[in-house]
Amino acid sequence: GAGVSQTPSNKVTEKGKYVELRCDPISGHTALYWYRQSLGQGPEFLIYFQGTGAADDSGLPNDRFFAVRPEGSVSTLKIQRTERGDSAVYLCASSLTSPGNTNNSPLHFGNGTRLTVT
Amino acid sequence: LAKTTQPISMDSYEGQEVNITCSHNNIATNDYITWYQQFPSQGPRFIIQGYKTKVTNEVASLFIPADRKSSTLSLPRVSLSDTAVYYCLVERYGGSQGNLIFGKGTKLSVKP
């Protein structure tokens, strides 16, 4: 079946601009995650959705970053007033885990959006 | 969650068995261990998960000693296509799994 889809695969923007990154999770997956990965580093957590609500947004670096998942499926990560330091690969993942499950399901990652801020 | 420590890099040759060890000294009773694999320009991919003793699937084996303070990912007879970064993670049963800590991982290079 189809995996997690992220668009665009590459995005180049100028400093100060606004960008939106889209994630289409695996159908039926209730949990959705955004991570950010810089060169040579492992993925760093940004935000986690359970259904439509953000269950944990503790990884968002500042208020320029915002994410939504209005219908509990597709999610959009929004970055305002982009800075060169925002350049990274933004990864989205989804899983079947529901609240109260004792055995967490593995995360299924997309291939990411490579964001370059010039 | 317990912090994990693993080698930054490892080299191997095709056909060899590769063992990557991860330390997680502060692992809690309700924590388990998960390994992910990441190829260049792709997102991480789940490999294997375990709580204690040994777990085996079609890709790898995971060995966890009785004290659970470490774990070893074993890749039998590696090929060039196993060249990737391997991440060891500690997850908590029933916890909010969103905030997974990946660390820098182990970069495995398989040579012909």
Side-chain angles (χ1 to χ4, degrees):
Chain A
V4 175
S5 176
Q6 293 188 245
T7 53
S9 56
N10 283 283
K11 176 71 176 178
V12 180
T13 191
E14 293 179 347
K15 179 176 177 293
K17 298 290 188 182
Y18 168 82
V19 296
E20 289 189 352
L21 312 180
R22 177 186 168 105
C23 174
D24 283 82
I26 293 173
S27 178
H29 280 194
T30 57
L32 184 144
Y33 317 80
W34 284 97
Y35 281 76
R36 177 169 72 173
Q37 186 170 26
S38 300
L39 192 63
Q41 305 294 317
E44 292 180 299
F45 170 77
L46 294 176
I47 187 169
Y48 155 54
F49 287 88
Q50 187 58 250
T52 61
D56 182 353
D57 65 358
S58 62
L60 294 178
N62 50 60
D63 61 6
R64 295 187 297 106
F65 289 74
F66 189 71
V68 295
R69 195 186 185 199
E71 298 178 358
S73 179
V74 171
S75 176
T76 304
L77 178 66
K78 308 180 181 191
I79 310 174
Q80 298 177 324
R81 304 183 303 281
T82 52
E83 300 177 356
R84 292 193 179 88
D86 298 335
S87 296
V89 176
Y90 288 81
L91 294 164
C92 176
S94 67
S95 76
L96 274 172
T97 298
S98 297
N101 275 11
T102 56
N103 193 8
N104 294 335
S105 301
L107 271 62
H108 298 261
F109 282 86
N111 289 331
T113 294
R114 181 176 298 279
L115 175 66
T116 303
V117 182
T118 62
Chain B
L1 289 174
K3 180 182 176 181
T4 60
T5 303
Q6 51 184 124
I8 294 294
S9 64
M10 292 182 69
D11 291 334
S12 183
Y13 291 93
E14 282 190 292
Q16 289 186 333
E17 177 184 80
V18 171
N19 296 309
I20 305 174
T21 297
C22 177
S23 297
H24 27 78
N25 290 320
N26 296 322
I27 194 167
T29 302
N30 53 344
D31 290 341
Y32 57 102
I33 299 108
T34 307
W35 286 79
Y36 282 81
Q37 173 192 54
Q38 186 176 25
F39 298 113
S41 301
Q42 294 186 21
R45 180 177 76 108
F46 171 82
I47 303 176
I48 198 165
Q49 187 178 85
Y51 183 79
K52 62 180 178 181
T53 62
K54 177 183 175 182
V55 179
T56 297
N57 62 23
E58 65 278 5
V59 177
S61 295
L62 179 60
F63 298 92
I64 305 167
D67 66 7
R68 305 199 325 119
K69 293 184 183 297
S70 67
S71 59
T72 299
L73 175 73
S74 181
L75 305 172
R77 297 180 299 281
V78 294
S79 65
L80 296 176
S81 62
D82 292 316
T83 294
V85 177
Y86 293 82
Y87 296 98
C88 166
L89 287 75
V90 170
E91 296 189 60
R92 181 147 297 167
Y93 278 119
S96 170
Q97 66 173 101
N99 194 350
L100 297 182
I101 300 172
F102 277 81
K104 292 187 177 183
T106 297
K107 186 174 182 179
L108 173 65
S109 298
V110 180
K111 303 174 183 178

